């Protein structure tokens, strides 16, 4: 009889421990997601605008995306390599600041790409005047890379980025 009570107690206790552990892990994951971006931005601010580990990860993905546009044309590929190298040197704090300032965005586009001054100004004007780009700009401005990626995918899928690219190339 005593043995049975002992076994029942330990069985219930074991289940209770598993549930408590699962709930704790779930709460920690949720809190990590909620506080990740503000912590990342705080670390960037404390370090004087230097890139954080997640900034470097995002930047490397952007560079891969830029590199994927190579098409075998030597002149084009050279411009792509230059843009990727320039992007690698650019601080994410500068990119974040440009997401909230049209003039900075135009200057950054001109310096970091093969766009002319008039093309960069036209692109910045379109990005800041068209409300469909607001979500992407706000996500970048807040340093929320996950949301920025979702906005980018949405704009890619609905043709907005192709439309932007075509409107710039005609200038």
């Amino acid at each position: 009889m005593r043995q049975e009570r002992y076994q029942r107690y330990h069985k219930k206790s074991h289940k209770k421990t598993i549930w408590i552990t699962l709930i704790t892990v779930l709460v920690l994951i949720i809190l990590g997601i909620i506080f990740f971006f503000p912590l990342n931005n705080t670390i960037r601010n404390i370090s004087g605008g230097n890139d954080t580990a997640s900034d470097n990860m995002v930047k490397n993905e952007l560079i891969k995306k830029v590199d994927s546009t190579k098409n075998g044309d030597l002149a084009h590929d050279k411009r792509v390599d230059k843009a990727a190298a320039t992007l690698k040197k650019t601080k994410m704090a500068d990119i974040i600041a440009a997401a909230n300032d049209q003039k900075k965005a135009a200057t950054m586009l001109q310096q970091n790409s093969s766009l002319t001054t008039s093309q960069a100004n036209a692109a910045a004007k379109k990005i800041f005047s068209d409300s469909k780009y607001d979500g992407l700009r706000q996500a970048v401005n807040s340093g929320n890379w996950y949301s920025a990626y979702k906005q980018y995918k949405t704009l890619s899928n609905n043709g907005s980025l192709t439309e932007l690219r075509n409107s710039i190339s005609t200038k």
Side-chain angles (χ1 to χ4, degrees), residues 56-109:
N56 286 328
M57 185 178 71
V58 169
K59 196 184 296 185
N60 288 336
E61 289 302 314
L62 286 172
I63 291 169
K64 285 180 190 175
K65 199 73 157 159
V66 169
D67 279 339
S68 71
T69 63
K70 290 183 178 179
N71 61 8
D73 177 24
L74 189 59
H76 174 75
D77 291 352
K78 194 173 185 178
R79 288 192 305 264
V80 168
D81 287 337
K82 180 185 175 216
T86 306
L87 179 60
K88 191 169 187 134
K89 293 176 190 171
T90 304
K91 289 183 177 185
M92 286 303 253
D94 296 337
I95 294 171
I96 289 170
N100 205 27
D101 184 346
Q102 183 175 336
K103 195 170 198 118
K104 281 183 185 178
T107 302
M108 186 170 282
L109 279 171

Side-chain angles (χ1 to χ4, degrees), residues 12 16-17 43 67 128 132 151 160:
K12 287 180 183 176
K16 195 183 237 184
T17 304
I43 292 169
D67 279 339
F128 280 82
K132 61 185 161 190
Q151 291 292 325
S160 296

Side-chain angles (χ1 to χ4, degrees), residues 20-34:
I20 290 171
T21 304
L22 286 174
I23 291 171
T24 303
V25 168
L26 185 63
V27 167
L28 288 174
I29 289 171
I30 291 170
L31 288 174
I33 291 169
I34 291 170

Side-chain angles (χ1 to χ4, degrees), residues 36 40 43 50-60 145:
F36 174 75
N40 187 49
I43 292 169
N50 294 328
D51 290 348
T52 63
S54 63
D55 290 343
N56 286 328
M57 185 178 71
V58 169
K59 196 184 296 185
N60 288 336
W145 305 130

Side-chain angles (χ1 to χ4, degrees), residues 65 136 146-159 161:
K65 199 73 157 159
L136 178 61
Y146 178 71
S147 179
Y149 177 74
K150 283 177 37 181
Q151 291 292 325
Y152 165 78
K153 290 303 269 181
T154 301
L155 292 170
S156 292
N157 291 338
N158 70 16
L161 293 180

